[in-house]
Amino acid sequence: MAKASDLFIQCLEQEGVEYIFGVPGEENLDFLDSLSRSTKIKLILTRHEQGAGFMAATYGRHTGKTGVCLATLGPGATNFVTAAAYAQLGGMPMMMITGQKPIKKSKQGRFQILDVVAMMGPITKYTYQMASADNIPSRVREAIRLAEEEKPGAVHLELPEDIADEQTDSLPIPRSVARRPSADAKAIAMAAAKLEAAKSPILVIGAGANRTMTSKMLREFIDKTGIPFLTTQLGKGVIDERHPKFVGCAALSAGDFVHRAVEASDCIVNIGHDVIEKPPFFMKPGGAEVIHVSMRTAEVDPVYFPQIEIIGDIANAIWQLKEAITPQAWTSEFMLKARAAEVAHTASISGDARFPIYPPFLVEQVRKAMPEDGIICLDNGVYKIWFARSYAAYRPNTVLLDNALATMGAGLPSAMMSSMVYPGRRVMAICGDGGFMMNSQEMETAVRLKLNITILILNDNSYGMIRWKQANMGFKDWGLTYGNPDFVKYAESYGAQGYRVESAAHLDALLALTGKSPGVHLIEVPVDYTDNDRILNRDIKELSKAV
């Protein structure tokens, strides 16, 4: 016989769990005591449950394995909600474990009690309350199986404190071996024929293509066929963006140079399309035909109704298509011309060394400072558009941004987790002042864990993304500005190193300095967003029309 909480830890060990991130409460004390005796799982104590959830989700994104986080009942569990939605929409395998008051006999009435299982239902793939210790092995196995199954996402298990203290003779259930189904050969043949008959095909690489092996297969397909490609924001880095057939990232909704390239196509191969992202193109009756390649069938709406669907493991489907297709004399000159025009426009504005720092200049300096395998983790703000458009990603998962839930506050925890998974690589969190302050308390966690990260705080003393939208809609500039702490002193109060950029040349020097020094470094970067509306909403649309 074993204690239920001990069995729970054994089940997690059987699943290969390395870390549990979280803020335990009194309802987790049996679980915490069992965890203290584990030689395989390390507890990472965070300063807020949201930070723990973001770290667990990012672990899942990097490794493909389920990241695990822990919270108590009530307010601890509700603090997981944003992180659960972040993982669920973003396709990141994550398990949340929450405590609960005794369910068989409780003397505390309804104190702190919410129906957490029902609350988690709409934002997870699976949620379950443990009512018997004997069910722990099957529920843990099922939850992790579902978390990692395509499309990956969030799951939740609730462990009441009286169940955690039960005795049981149940044993962990071993992981099963599962192979994803291969695409249908007839669908492959139809797609190959459609592509061979096209004049100007193009590939769109989306969120679902950002998985193991897909990058290799796509690169082989592009190298064989010479078909140009673009990415969505969550597809960045699947293929090295220095590739001569890369035509850009669909960071804006419409009217960018990359959209002109798509408009020139008569056949779009949409790989790993996920409706959680803003559409990279809009279908029209009589327009380009679309081949949908995904693990799941297309969700049809007025702007997306593909004519051919290839359903199955994406990497295998691309390999089959590569073997079936005969390259043709396709036309791609206009698409590559549109890309060249975008590169030229970016170059014309990225050298502007004004102070406060100009966003295009910032992107260029960060790209110069980061090694090929360096990882940048973007919080959510208008700078995300600049980086998605202009920061070249060389490898998969080296640009972590959120174009699904698009939440603020995830940049710092994501960078912390990236540094833990890849301790030998340079990691940088890029946050607006607003988003950074939402989880800035995790600076203490980063220092305590002796992580090596650089944090850029892009300071405009406002919620800049909303001000950009406000200006575009013709409203007066109102209601979105605030004050900030002295970020240098703030960093130093946690035991980190703090710096403030004083000029454009100083930015370059600080990026170089922090790249050579271990530890946690924070660089406050005053930014000038005054041209956001002009460039992103007007100039780009006009210039791209002239290609």
Side-chain angles (χ1 to χ4, degrees), residues 68-154:
V68 180
C69 50
L70 175 71
T72 189
L73 80 171
T78 60
N79 282 344
F80 269 158
V81 168
T82 298
Y86 173 77
Q88 182 75 351
L89 293 188
M92 296 173 261
M94 178 186 77
M95 173 191 279
M96 297 167 287
I97 302 168
T98 61
Q100 187 55 274
K101 297 292 184 184
I103 57 173
K104 296 182 178 179
K105 185 183 293 185
S106 177
K107 299 179 180 179
Q108 298 192 42
R110 301 293 298 174
F111 176 63
Q112 286 193 306
I113 293 180
L114 295 168
D115 189 342
V116 176
V117 172
M119 179 183 74
M120 290 294 183
I123 53 173
T124 61
K125 297 179 73 175
Y126 180 76
T127 177
Y128 187 86
Q129 181 192 70
M130 299 293 188
S132 168
D134 294 337
N135 287 339
I136 289 174
S138 60
R139 296 308 94 193
V140 171
R141 177 81 283 270
E142 176 67 355
I144 288 184
R145 183 188 71 80
L146 288 170
E148 295 175 2
E149 184 178 78
E150 193 68 33
K151 172 186 173 181

Coordinates of all heavy atoms in Angstrom, one line a residue, residues 68-154:
V68 N 4.5 20.8 -16.1 CA 3.5 20.6 -14.9 C 3.6 21.8 -14.0 O 4.7 22.3 -13.7 CB 3.9 19.3 -14.2 CG1 2.9 19.1 -13.0 CG2 3.8 18.1 -15.2
C69 N 2.5 22.3 -13.5 CA 2.5 23.4 -12.5 C 1.5 23.1 -11.4 O 0.5 22.3 -11.6 CB 2.2 24.7 -13.2 SG 0.8 24.7 -14.3
L70 N 1.7 23.7 -10.3 CA 0.9 23.4 -9.1 C 0.4 24.6 -8.4 O 1.1 25.6 -8.3 CB 1.9 22.6 -8.1 CG 1.4 22.3 -6.7 CD1 0.3 21.2 -6.8 CD2 2.5 21.9 -5.8
A71 N -0.8 24.6 -7.9 CA -1.4 25.7 -7.2 C -2.4 25.1 -6.2 O -2.9 23.9 -6.3 CB -2.1 26.7 -8.1
T72 N -2.8 25.9 -5.2 CA -3.8 25.5 -4.3 C -5.2 25.7 -4.9 O -5.4 26.0 -6.1 CB -3.6 26.2 -2.9 OG1 -4.5 25.7 -2.0 CG2 -3.9 27.7 -3.1
L73 N -6.2 25.6 -4.0 CA -7.6 25.8 -4.5 C -7.9 27.3 -4.6 O -7.0 28.2 -4.5 CB -8.6 25.2 -3.5 CG -8.9 26.0 -2.2 CD1 -10.0 25.3 -1.4 CD2 -7.7 26.2 -1.3
G74 N -9.1 27.7 -5.0 CA -9.6 29.0 -5.0 C -8.7 30.0 -5.7 O -8.6 29.8 -7.0
P75 N -8.2 31.0 -5.1 CA -7.4 32.0 -5.8 C -6.1 31.5 -6.5 O -5.7 32.0 -7.5 CB -7.0 33.0 -4.7 CG -7.1 32.2 -3.4 CD -8.2 31.3 -3.6
G76 N -5.6 30.4 -5.9 CA -4.4 29.8 -6.6 C -4.8 29.2 -7.9 O -4.1 29.4 -8.9
A77 N -6.0 28.5 -7.9 CA -6.5 27.9 -9.2 C -6.9 29.0 -10.2 O -6.6 28.9 -11.4 CB -7.6 27.0 -8.9
T78 N -7.6 30.0 -9.7 CA -8.0 31.1 -10.6 C -6.9 31.8 -11.3 O -6.9 32.3 -12.4 CB -9.0 32.1 -10.0 OG1 -8.3 32.7 -8.9 CG2 -10.2 31.4 -9.5
N79 N -5.7 31.9 -10.6 CA -4.5 32.5 -11.1 C -3.9 31.7 -12.3 O -3.1 32.2 -13.0 CB -3.5 32.8 -10.1 CG -3.8 34.0 -9.2 OD1 -4.6 34.8 -9.5 ND2 -3.1 34.1 -8.0
F80 N -4.4 30.5 -12.4 CA -3.9 29.6 -13.6 C -4.7 29.9 -14.9 O -4.3 29.4 -15.9 CB -4.1 28.2 -13.2 CG -2.8 27.5 -12.6 CD1 -3.0 26.4 -11.8 CD2 -1.6 28.1 -12.7 CE1 -1.9 25.8 -11.2 CE2 -0.5 27.5 -12.1 CZ -0.6 26.3 -11.4
V81 N -5.8 30.6 -14.8 CA -6.7 30.7 -15.9 C -6.0 31.2 -17.2 O -6.1 30.7 -18.3 CB -8.0 31.5 -15.6 CG1 -8.8 31.8 -16.8 CG2 -8.8 30.6 -14.6
T82 N -5.3 32.4 -17.0 CA -4.7 33.0 -18.2 C -3.6 32.0 -18.8 O -3.5 31.9 -20.0 CB -4.1 34.3 -17.8 OG1 -5.1 35.2 -17.4 CG2 -3.4 35.0 -19.0
A83 N -2.8 31.4 -17.9 CA -1.8 30.5 -18.4 C -2.4 29.3 -19.1 O -1.9 28.8 -20.1 CB -0.9 30.1 -17.2
A84 N -3.5 28.8 -18.6 CA -4.2 27.7 -19.2 C -4.7 28.1 -20.6 O -4.5 27.3 -21.6 CB -5.4 27.3 -18.4
A85 N -5.3 29.2 -20.8 CA -5.7 29.7 -22.1 C -4.5 29.9 -23.0 O -4.6 29.6 -24.2 CB -6.5 31.0 -21.9
Y86 N -3.4 30.4 -22.5 CA -2.2 30.6 -23.2 C -1.7 29.3 -23.8 O -1.3 29.2 -25.0 CB -1.2 31.2 -22.3 CG 0.3 31.4 -22.7 CD1 0.6 32.4 -23.6 CD2 1.3 30.5 -22.3 CE1 2.0 32.6 -24.0 CE2 2.6 30.7 -22.7 CZ 2.9 31.7 -23.5 OH 4.2 31.9 -23.9
A87 N -1.6 28.3 -23.0 CA -1.2 27.0 -23.5 C -2.2 26.3 -24.4 O -1.8 25.7 -25.4 CB -0.9 26.0 -22.3
Q88 N -3.5 26.5 -24.1 CA -4.5 25.8 -24.9 C -4.6 26.4 -26.3 O -4.6 25.7 -27.3 CB -5.9 26.0 -24.2 CG -7.0 25.3 -24.9 CD -7.1 23.8 -24.8 OE1 -6.2 23.2 -24.3 NE2 -8.2 23.2 -25.2
L89 N -4.6 27.7 -26.4 CA -4.7 28.3 -27.8 C -3.3 28.2 -28.5 O -3.3 28.0 -29.7 CB -5.0 29.8 -27.6 CG -6.5 30.1 -27.2 CD1 -6.7 31.6 -27.3 CD2 -7.5 29.4 -27.9
G90 N -2.2 28.3 -27.7 CA -0.9 28.2 -28.4 C -0.4 26.8 -28.7 O 0.7 26.7 -29.3
G91 N -1.1 25.8 -28.3 CA -0.7 24.4 -28.7 C 0.5 23.9 -27.9 O 1.4 23.3 -28.4
M92 N 0.5 24.2 -26.6 CA 1.6 23.8 -25.7 C 1.1 22.9 -24.6 O 0.2 23.2 -23.9 CB 2.2 25.1 -25.0 CG 2.8 26.1 -26.0 SD 3.3 27.6 -25.2 CE 1.9 28.7 -25.6
P93 N 1.7 21.7 -24.6 CA 1.2 20.7 -23.6 C 1.6 21.1 -22.1 O 2.7 21.3 -21.8 CB 2.0 19.4 -24.0 CG 3.2 19.9 -24.7 CD 2.8 21.1 -25.4
M94 N 0.6 21.2 -21.3 CA 0.7 21.7 -19.9 C -0.3 21.0 -19.0 O -1.5 20.9 -19.4 CB 0.6 23.2 -19.8 CG 0.7 23.7 -18.4 SD 0.4 25.5 -18.3 CE -1.4 25.5 -18.4
M95 N 0.1 20.6 -17.9 CA -0.8 20.0 -16.9 C -0.8 20.9 -15.6 O 0.3 21.3 -15.1 CB -0.3 18.6 -16.4 CG -1.2 18.1 -15.3 SD -0.5 16.6 -14.6 CE -1.1 15.4 -15.7
M96 N -2.0 21.3 -15.2 CA -2.2 22.0 -13.9 C -2.7 21.1 -12.9 O -3.6 20.3 -13.1 CB -3.2 23.2 -14.1 CG -2.7 24.2 -15.1 SD -4.1 25.3 -15.6 CE -5.0 24.2 -16.7
I97 N -2.1 21.1 -11.7 CA -2.5 20.3 -10.6 C -3.0 21.3 -9.5 O -2.2 22.2 -9.1 CB -1.4 19.4 -10.0 CG1 -0.9 18.4 -11.1 CG2 -1.9 18.6 -8.8 CD1 0.4 17.7 -10.7
T98 N -4.2 21.2 -9.1 CA -4.7 22.1 -8.0 C -5.2 21.3 -6.8 O -5.7 20.2 -7.0 CB -5.8 23.1 -8.5 OG1 -6.9 22.3 -9.0 CG2 -5.3 23.9 -9.7
G99 N -5.1 21.9 -5.6 CA -5.6 21.3 -4.4 C -7.1 21.6 -4.2 O -7.7 22.4 -5.0
Q100 N -7.7 21.0 -3.2 CA -9.1 21.2 -2.9 C -9.3 20.8 -1.4 O -8.6 20.0 -0.9 CB -10.0 20.5 -3.8 CG -11.5 20.8 -3.7 CD -11.8 22.3 -3.8 OE1 -11.7 23.0 -2.8 NE2 -12.1 22.8 -5.0
K101 N -10.3 21.4 -0.8 CA -10.7 21.0 0.5 C -11.2 19.5 0.5 O -11.5 19.0 -0.6 CB -11.9 21.8 1.0 CG -11.6 23.3 1.2 CD -10.6 23.5 2.3 CE -10.3 25.0 2.5 NZ -9.3 25.3 3.5
P102 N -11.2 18.8 1.6 CA -11.7 17.4 1.6 C -13.1 17.3 1.0 O -14.0 18.2 1.2 CB -11.8 17.1 3.1 CG -10.8 18.0 3.8 CD -10.8 19.3 3.0
I103 N -13.3 16.4 0.2 CA -14.6 16.2 -0.5 C -15.5 15.2 0.2 O -16.7 15.2 -0.1 CB -14.4 15.8 -2.0 CG1 -13.6 14.5 -2.1 CG2 -13.8 17.0 -2.7 CD1 -13.6 14.0 -3.5
K104 N -15.0 14.4 1.1 CA -15.8 13.4 1.8 C -16.4 14.0 3.1 O -17.5 13.6 3.5 CB -15.0 12.1 2.0 CG -14.6 11.4 0.7 CD -13.9 10.2 1.0 CE -13.5 9.5 -0.3 NZ -12.8 8.2 -0.1
K105 N -15.6 14.8 3.8 CA -16.1 15.4 5.0 C -15.3 16.6 5.2 O -14.0 16.6 5.4 CB -15.9 14.4 6.2 CG -16.5 14.9 7.5 CD -16.2 14.0 8.6 CE -17.0 12.7 8.5 NZ -16.8 11.8 9.6
S106 N -15.9 17.8 5.3 CA -15.2 19.1 5.5 C -15.9 19.9 6.5 O -17.2 19.9 6.6 CB -15.2 19.9 4.2 OG -14.6 21.1 4.4
K107 N -15.1 20.5 7.4 CA -15.7 21.3 8.5 C -15.6 22.8 8.2 O -15.8 23.6 9.1 CB -15.0 21.0 9.8 CG -15.1 19.5 10.2 CD -14.3 19.2 11.5 CE -14.5 17.8 12.0 NZ -13.7 17.5 13.2
Q108 N -15.2 23.2 7.0 CA -15.0 24.6 6.7 C -16.0 25.2 5.8 O -15.8 26.2 5.2 CB -13.6 24.7 6.0 CG -12.5 24.3 7.0 CD -11.1 24.8 6.5 OE1 -10.9 25.9 6.0 NE2 -10.1 23.9 6.6
G109 N -17.1 24.5 5.6 CA -18.2 25.0 4.8 C -17.8 25.2 3.3 O -17.1 24.4 2.7
R110 N -18.1 26.4 2.8 CA -17.7 26.7 1.4 C -16.5 27.7 1.3 O -16.3 28.3 0.2 CB -18.9 27.4 0.7 CG -20.2 26.5 0.7 CD -20.0 25.3 -0.2 NE -19.7 25.6 -1.6 CZ -19.4 24.6 -2.5 NH1 -19.3 23.4 -2.1 NH2 -19.2 25.0 -3.7
F111 N -15.8 27.8 2.4 CA -14.6 28.7 2.4 C -13.6 28.4 1.3 O -13.1 27.3 1.2 CB -13.9 28.6 3.8 CG -12.7 29.5 3.9 CD1 -12.7 30.9 3.8 CD2 -11.4 28.9 4.1 CE1 -11.6 31.7 3.9 CE2 -10.3 29.7 4.2 CZ -10.4 31.1 4.1
Q112 N -13.4 29.4 0.4 CA -12.4 29.3 -0.7 C -12.8 28.3 -1.8 O -12.1 28.1 -2.7 CB -11.0 28.9 -0.2 CG -10.3 30.1 0.5 CD -8.8 29.8 0.6 OE1 -8.4 28.7 1.2 NE2 -8.0 30.7 0.1
I113 N -14.0 27.7 -1.7 CA -14.3 26.7 -2.7 C -15.0 27.2 -3.9 O -16.1 27.9 -3.8 CB -15.2 25.6 -2.0 CG1 -14.4 24.9 -0.9 CG2 -15.8 24.6 -3.0 CD1 -15.2 23.8 -0.2
L114 N -14.4 26.9 -5.0 CA -15.0 27.2 -6.4 C -15.1 25.8 -7.1 O -14.4 24.9 -6.8 CB -14.2 28.1 -7.2 CG -14.0 29.5 -6.7 CD1 -12.9 30.2 -7.5 CD2 -15.3 30.3 -6.9
D115 N -16.0 25.7 -8.1 CA -16.0 24.6 -8.9 C -14.9 24.7 -10.0 O -15.1 25.2 -11.1 CB -17.4 24.4 -9.6 CG -17.5 23.1 -10.3 OD1 -16.5 22.4 -10.6 OD2 -18.7 22.7 -10.6
V116 N -13.7 24.4 -9.6 CA -12.5 24.6 -10.4 C -12.6 23.7 -11.7 O -12.2 24.1 -12.8 CB -11.2 24.4 -9.7 CG1 -10.0 24.5 -10.6 CG2 -11.1 25.4 -8.5
V117 N -13.1 22.5 -11.5 CA -13.2 21.6 -12.7 C -14.1 22.2 -13.7 O -13.7 22.2 -14.9 CB -13.7 20.2 -12.2 CG1 -14.0 19.3 -13.4 CG2 -12.7 19.5 -11.3
A118 N -15.2 22.7 -13.3 CA -16.1 23.4 -14.3 C -15.5 24.6 -14.9 O -15.6 24.9 -16.1 CB -17.4 23.7 -13.6
M119 N -14.8 25.4 -14.1 CA -14.1 26.6 -14.5 C -13.1 26.3 -15.6 O -12.9 27.0 -16.6 CB -13.4 27.3 -13.4 CG -12.7 28.6 -13.7 SD -11.8 29.3 -12.3 CE -10.4 28.1 -12.1
M120 N -12.4 25.2 -15.5 CA -11.3 24.8 -16.4 C -11.9 24.2 -17.7 O -11.1 24.1 -18.7 CB -10.3 23.9 -15.7 CG -9.4 24.5 -14.7 SD -8.3 25.7 -15.4 CE -7.4 26.2 -13.9
G121 N -13.1 23.8 -17.7 CA -13.6 23.1 -18.8 C -13.5 23.8 -20.1 O -13.0 23.2 -21.1
P122 N -13.9 25.0 -20.3 CA -13.8 25.7 -21.6 C -12.4 26.0 -22.1 O -12.2 26.3 -23.2 CB -14.6 27.0 -21.4 CG -15.4 26.8 -20.1 CD -14.6 25.8 -19.3
I123 N -11.4 25.9 -21.2 CA -10.0 26.4 -21.6 C -9.0 25.2 -21.5 O -7.8 25.5 -21.5 CB -9.6 27.6 -20.8 CG1 -9.7 27.3 -19.2 CG2 -10.3 28.8 -21.2 CD1 -9.1 28.4 -18.4
T124 N -9.5 24.0 -21.4 CA -8.6 22.9 -21.3 C -9.1 21.8 -22.2 O -10.2 21.8 -22.7 CB -8.4 22.3 -19.9 OG1 -9.7 21.8 -19.4 CG2 -7.8 23.3 -18.9
K125 N -8.2 20.8 -22.5 CA -8.6 19.6 -23.2 C -9.2 18.6 -22.3 O -9.9 17.7 -22.8 CB -7.4 19.0 -23.9 CG -6.7 19.9 -25.0 CD -5.5 19.2 -25.6 CE -5.9 18.1 -26.6 NZ -4.7 17.5 -27.3
Y126 N -8.9 18.7 -21.0 CA -9.4 17.7 -20.1 C -9.3 18.3 -18.6 O -8.3 18.9 -18.3 CB -8.4 16.5 -20.2 CG -8.7 15.3 -19.3 CD1 -9.8 14.4 -19.5 CD2 -7.9 15.0 -18.2 CE1 -10.1 13.3 -18.7 CE2 -8.2 13.9 -17.3 CZ -9.3 13.1 -17.6 OH -9.5 12.0 -16.8
T127 N -10.3 18.0 -17.8 CA -10.3 18.5 -16.4 C -11.0 17.5 -15.6 O -12.0 16.9 -16.0 CB -10.9 19.9 -16.3 OG1 -10.9 20.3 -14.9 CG2 -12.3 20.0 -16.9
Y128 N -10.4 17.1 -14.4 CA -11.0 16.0 -13.7 C -10.6 16.2 -12.2 O -9.5 16.6 -11.8 CB -10.3 14.7 -14.2 CG -10.9 13.4 -13.6 CD1 -12.1 12.8 -14.2 CD2 -10.3 12.8 -12.5 CE1 -12.6 11.7 -13.6 CE2 -10.9 11.6 -11.9 CZ -12.0 11.1 -12.5 OH -12.5 9.9 -12.0
Q129 N -11.6 15.9 -11.3 CA -11.4 15.8 -9.9 C -11.2 14.4 -9.4 O -12.0 13.5 -9.7 CB -12.6 16.4 -9.1 CG -12.4 16.4 -7.6 CD -13.7 16.7 -6.9 OE1 -14.6 15.9 -6.8 NE2 -13.8 17.9 -6.3
M130 N -10.0 14.2 -8.7 CA -9.7 12.9 -8.2 C -10.7 12.6 -7.0 O -10.7 13.3 -6.0 CB -8.3 12.8 -7.7 CG -7.3 13.0 -8.7 SD -7.2 11.7 -9.9 CE -5.8 12.2 -10.8
A131 N -11.5 11.6 -7.1 CA -12.4 11.2 -6.0 C -12.0 9.9 -5.4 O -12.6 9.5 -4.4 CB -13.8 11.1 -6.6
S132 N -10.9 9.3 -5.9 CA -10.4 8.0 -5.3 C -8.9 7.9 -5.7 O -8.5 8.2 -6.8 CB -11.2 6.8 -5.9 OG -10.5 5.6 -5.6
A133 N -8.1 7.5 -4.7 CA -6.7 7.3 -4.9 C -6.5 6.3 -6.0 O -5.5 6.3 -6.8 CB -6.0 6.9 -3.6
D134 N -7.4 5.3 -6.1 CA -7.2 4.2 -7.1 C -7.2 4.7 -8.6 O -6.7 4.1 -9.5 CB -8.3 3.1 -6.9 CG -8.1 2.4 -5.6 OD1 -7.0 2.4 -5.0 OD2 -9.2 1.8 -5.1
N135 N -7.8 5.9 -8.8 CA -8.0 6.4 -10.1 C -6.8 7.3 -10.6 O -6.7 7.7 -11.7 CB -9.2 7.3 -10.2 CG -10.5 6.5 -10.2 OD1 -10.5 5.4 -10.5 ND2 -11.6 7.2 -9.8
I136 N -5.9 7.5 -9.7 CA -4.7 8.4 -10.0 C -3.9 8.0 -11.2 O -3.7 8.8 -12.1 CB -3.9 8.7 -8.8 CG1 -4.6 9.5 -7.7 CG2 -2.5 9.3 -9.1 CD1 -3.9 9.7 -6.4
P137 N -3.5 6.7 -11.3 CA -2.7 6.3 -12.4 C -3.4 6.5 -13.8 O -2.8 7.0 -14.7 CB -2.4 4.8 -12.2 CG -2.5 4.7 -10.7 CD -3.6 5.6 -10.3
S138 N -4.6 6.1 -13.9 CA -5.3 6.2 -15.2 C -5.6 7.7 -15.5 O -5.5 8.1 -16.7 CB -6.6 5.4 -15.2 OG -7.5 5.9 -14.1
R139 N -5.9 8.5 -14.5 CA -6.2 9.9 -14.8 C -5.0 10.7 -15.2 O -5.0 11.6 -16.1 CB -6.9 10.6 -13.6 CG -8.3 10.0 -13.2 CD -9.2 10.0 -14.4 NE -9.2 8.7 -15.1 CZ -9.7 8.4 -16.3 NH1 -10.3 9.4 -17.0 NH2 -9.6 7.2 -16.8
V140 N -3.8 10.4 -14.5 CA -2.6 11.1 -14.9 C -2.2 10.7 -16.3 O -1.8 11.5 -17.1 CB -1.5 10.8 -13.9 CG1 -0.1 11.3 -14.4 CG2 -1.8 11.4 -12.5
R141 N -2.2 9.4 -16.6 CA -1.9 8.9 -18.0 C -2.7 9.5 -19.0 O -2.3 10.0 -20.1 CB -2.0 7.4 -18.0 CG -1.7 6.7 -19.4 CD -0.2 6.6 -19.6 NE 0.5 7.8 -20.0 CZ 0.6 8.2 -21.3 NH1 0.1 7.5 -22.3 NH2 1.3 9.3 -21.5
E142 N -4.1 9.6 -18.8 CA -5.0 10.1 -19.8 C -4.8 11.6 -19.9 O -4.8 12.1 -21.1 CB -6.4 9.8 -19.3 CG -7.5 10.4 -20.2 CD -7.6 9.8 -21.6 OE1 -6.7 9.0 -21.9 OE2 -8.5 10.2 -22.4
A143 N -4.5 12.3 -18.9 CA -4.3 13.8 -18.9 C -3.1 14.1 -19.8 O -3.1 15.0 -20.7 CB -4.2 14.4 -17.6
I144 N -2.0 13.4 -19.5 CA -0.8 13.7 -20.2 C -0.9 13.2 -21.7 O -0.4 13.9 -22.6 CB 0.4 13.1 -19.5 CG1 0.7 13.9 -18.2 CG2 1.7 13.1 -20.4 CD1 1.9 13.5 -17.4
R145 N -1.5 12.1 -21.9 CA -1.8 11.7 -23.3 C -2.5 12.7 -24.1 O -2.1 13.1 -25.2 CB -2.6 10.4 -23.3 CG -2.8 9.8 -24.7 CD -3.8 8.6 -24.6 NE -5.1 9.0 -24.4 CZ -5.9 9.5 -25.3 NH1 -5.5 9.7 -26.6 NH2 -7.2 9.9 -25.0
L146 N -3.5 13.3 -23.5 CA -4.3 14.3 -24.2 C -3.6 15.6 -24.3 O -3.7 16.3 -25.4 CB -5.6 14.5 -23.5 CG -6.7 13.4 -23.6 CD1 -7.8 13.7 -22.6 CD2 -7.2 13.3 -25.0
A147 N -2.8 16.0 -23.3 CA -2.0 17.2 -23.4 C -1.0 17.2 -24.6 O -0.8 18.2 -25.2 CB -1.2 17.4 -22.1
E148 N -0.5 16.0 -24.8 CA 0.6 15.9 -25.9 C 0.0 15.5 -27.2 O 0.7 15.7 -28.2 CB 1.6 14.9 -25.4 CG 2.4 15.4 -24.2 CD 3.4 14.4 -23.6 OE1 3.5 13.3 -24.2 OE2 4.0 14.6 -22.6
E149 N -1.2 15.0 -27.3 CA -1.8 14.6 -28.6 C -2.1 15.9 -29.4 O -2.5 16.9 -28.9 CB -3.1 13.9 -28.3 CG -3.8 13.3 -29.5 CD -5.0 12.5 -29.1 OE1 -6.0 13.2 -28.8 OE2 -5.0 11.3 -29.0
E150 N -1.9 15.8 -30.7 CA -2.1 16.9 -31.6 C -3.6 17.3 -31.6 O -4.5 16.4 -31.7 CB -1.7 16.5 -33.0 CG -1.6 17.7 -34.0 CD -0.4 18.6 -33.6 OE1 0.6 18.2 -33.1 OE2 -0.6 19.8 -33.9
K151 N -4.0 18.5 -31.5 CA -3.2 19.7 -31.1 C -2.9 19.7 -29.6 O -3.8 19.5 -28.8 CB -3.9 21.0 -31.6 CG -3.3 22.3 -31.1 CD -4.2 23.4 -31.4 CE -3.7 24.7 -30.8 NZ -4.6 25.9 -31.1
P152 N -1.6 19.9 -29.2 CA -1.3 19.9 -27.8 C -2.1 21.0 -27.1 O -2.5 22.0 -27.7 CB 0.2 20.1 -27.8 CG 0.7 19.8 -29.1 CD -0.4 20.1 -30.1
G153 N -2.2 20.9 -25.8 CA -2.9 21.9 -25.0 C -2.8 21.7 -23.5 O -2.0 20.9 -23.0
A154 N -3.7 22.4 -22.8 CA -3.7 22.4 -21.3 C -4.7 21.3 -20.8 O -5.7 21.0 -21.4 CB -4.1 23.7 -20.8

